[in-house]
Amino acid sequence: MTYTLESFCDRNPINRILADNMSETPRFTSLPGRFESNALMCFIRAYHICAQILEKDQPLYKLPGFYNDAHGYEGSQDSEFHLIMEAATLSIVYILSDHFSQDWKDRNSMLRSKLFEHIKSLSWSEAVELVGGVVPLPTTINLYKDIYLILYEGTNTSITLPHSDFTNFGKETTDKTDQPKVQPASQQRAAQQSQEAVTTQALRSENEQLKRQVAELKEKIGNGGDIKEKHVKTGLIAKQCAIILKAWLLKEDAKPSNWQKLGEMFHLISGFGKTSCLNHLGEAVTEKEIQELYDIYHDPKLYPQHEYRETCKALLNYKKDLKRDKKV
C-alpha cells in the first residue's frame, strides 16, 4: 500500500491532530524539503516502531535501535535535521502509545518512561545572534519544548487505538482496518473530545489572529524599517527586541497565551535568527531589563523622541504590569 500524509490522517483522529500540529511547529516546518514529505517520513517510521513494540513486549535494550530508526535521511547522525526528525518521530510514537490499551501501558511503563526521558534529552548547542560586534554566546536548543509540547497539544483525548492498526501496518490492502474505539461512557467522553476539538481550533484561530496583529505592528515597532538594522548602533540584542514586541502587544491588548507561538513572526519582523526568537520570546522578563531598555529609548541622542514616544510608553506600561503581577 502506498502511504500519504492524508492516508495517515484518515486512520484515526489522533494522527490528524498530530499532522495539524506539525504544520504549526516552526522548527519542523523550517526543515529542508517539502513539509508533507518530511511529516510522512516521521509517521511511517513512527508506525514501524509502534508495530514492533506492540508485536511483543520489547526489552529496554531495544530502545537505542528505535532511536536510530527515528533519524532522518542517511548522513551525519548528529545534524540538526536528524535530531529534529528523531524528536518528531519519537514524539509521535510516545503520544500514540498513550492511546494503546491500558494493559499494554501497564506492562510497558518502564519502556515508555525511558522513551520520554530520551525525548526530553534531545538538544544541541548553537550561538545566540547578537549585534554590535559582541561575541555570540552558546545556548541550548531543547527539542522537548520546541517539538514534543507542540505536537502533544489537543491529543489528550479518551480514544483507544486498536493495536491491529499498527501490527498490520505495511500488510494492509486498500481496505480500511479496525476503526478506533471510544472507551466506555462514550457519550460523556465524546462530548469531552468535541470540546477539546473546539478548544484546539480556537487556539489555532487565536494564533492566526496574533500573526496578523504582529504584522500590523511591524511599522510601529520598527518605525518603517528593519529592527535589527536600526538598533545596531545601540547594540540591542534579540532579548531586548523581544521585550519591545511584548510591550507593544500588551499595549495593543493582544497578549498571546503562549509567547513562543509568535517566534516565526518575530523572526520575520526583527531579522534575528528563528532560534533566538523562539528562545527569547519564551523567557521571563524582569523590571530591570525593561528599565534598561527604556533608558536607551529615552535617550534623545540615540532615538528621536517624537518617533519613539509610544514605544517608551509601552515599555513603562509593561513594567507596571509586571509590578502589579508580583503583588497579586
Side-chain angles (χ1 to χ4, degrees):
M1 178 177 179
T2 301
Y3 297 101
T4 63
L5 187 58
E6 184 177 4
S7 70
F8 275 98
C9 292
D10 289 341
R11 294 177 84 97
N12 62 67
I14 304 300
N15 284 354
R16 169 71 66 179
I17 295 172
L18 285 168
D20 287 346
N21 289 348
M22 290 175 84
S23 71
E24 297 183 355
T25 308
R27 197 166 294 285
F28 188 85
T29 56
S30 65
L31 290 175
R34 294 181 63 248
F35 163 76
E36 288 194 21
S37 298
N38 292 334
L40 176 60
M41 180 188 297
C42 289
F43 271 103
I44 290 175
R45 295 185 179 207
Y47 261 66
H48 276 303
I49 294 171
C50 286
Q52 292 180 70
I53 63 178
L54 283 171
E55 194 73 50
K56 61 178 182 178
D57 294 345
Q58 297 290 338
L60 296 182
Y61 67 74
K62 290 284 189 178
L63 282 172
F66 296 150
Y67 303 157
N68 189 62
D69 291 343
H71 267 67
Y73 303 102
E74 293 181 2
S76 174
Q77 294 297 292
D78 59 356
S79 71
E80 295 174 12
F81 174 86
H82 289 291
L83 288 170
I84 292 171
M85 291 291 285
E86 179 180 351
T89 299
L90 295 179
S91 293
I92 292 173
V93 171
Y94 186 81
I95 292 169
L96 288 174
S97 74
D98 199 38
H99 299 275
F100 294 168
S101 69
Q102 189 59 51
D103 176 64
W104 182 90
K105 287 190 288 186
D106 290 342
R107 295 196 319 271
N108 294 276
S109 60
M110 183 60 71
L111 182 83
R112 295 188 72 236
S113 177
K114 292 293 184 182
L115 173 59
F116 190 61
E117 288 177 13
H118 179 75
I119 293 171
K120 293 181 72 173
S121 73
L122 290 173
S123 62
W124 75 81
S125 295
E126 67 177 35
V128 177
E129 298 179 36
L130 304 179
V131 295
V134 181
V135 177
L137 300 174
T139 186
T140 299
I141 308 305
N142 188 297
L143 294 180
Y144 168 76
K145 176 179 65 177
D146 291 354
I147 301 291
Y148 174 82
L149 290 181
I150 300 177
L151 295 188
Y152 177 74
E153 185 175 324
T155 63
N156 187 25
T157 72
S158 57
I159 292 176
T160 298
L161 301 175
H163 291 192
S164 57
D165 186 40
F166 302 92
T167 54
N168 288 337
F169 182 70
K171 308 171 187 176
E172 307 106 326
T173 64
T174 54
D175 297 329
K176 293 283 287 182
T177 56
D178 298 338
Q179 295 296 315
K181 298 176 182 178
V182 179
Q183 291 177 343
S186 58
Q187 289 184 341
Q188 177 182 357
R189 288 174 178 172
Q192 177 188 354
Q193 293 166 28
S194 176
Q195 181 59 46
E196 287 169 343
V198 170
T199 302
T200 300
Q201 184 58 45
L203 288 171
R204 291 185 182 129
S205 298
E206 176 197 22
N207 194 25
E208 290 304 313
Q209 180 182 4
L210 287 169
K211 285 180 180 179
R212 289 193 295 271
Q213 290 172 326
V214 171
E216 292 170 0
L217 288 171
K218 180 175 181 179
E219 291 300 315
K220 295 181 181 179
I221 301 173
N223 201 38
D226 185 301
I227 288 180
K228 183 177 180 181
E229 182 178 306
K230 278 181 170 292
H231 299 328
V232 166
K233 59 183 178 182
T234 59
L236 294 190
I237 61 174
K239 173 66 179 292
Q240 291 172 311
C241 290
I243 293 173
I244 297 168
L245 175 60
K246 289 184 177 184
W248 267 100
L249 287 172
L250 290 169
K251 180 178 181 295
E252 299 288 322
D253 196 25
K255 180 181 178 180
S257 58
N258 184 347
W259 287 111
Q260 287 192 301
K261 288 183 178 181
L262 298 177
E264 181 72 20
M265 290 307 300
F266 181 37
H267 159 67
L268 296 175
I269 292 171
S270 68
F272 285 103
K274 292 181 182 179
T275 298
S276 295
C277 292
L278 284 167
N279 288 342
H280 293 305
L281 282 174
E283 289 179 354
V285 177
T286 66
E287 293 177 46
K288 181 181 178 181
E289 288 175 316
I290 298 176
Q291 185 62 51
E292 290 174 349
L293 191 52
Y294 173 82
D295 292 340
I296 292 174
Y297 267 96
H298 203 54
D299 185 346
K301 296 178 182 179
L302 297 175
Y303 292 99
Q305 293 304 290
H306 68 282
E307 293 181 7
Y308 289 92
R309 185 176 295 109
E310 292 304 313
T311 296
C312 289
K313 289 181 180 178
L315 288 168
L316 285 179
N317 288 334
Y318 189 8
K319 183 179 177 182
K320 289 178 182 177
D321 284 344
L322 284 184
K323 189 173 295 186
R324 190 184 307 117
D325 291 341
K326 286 183 178 180
K327 293 179 180 179
V328 175

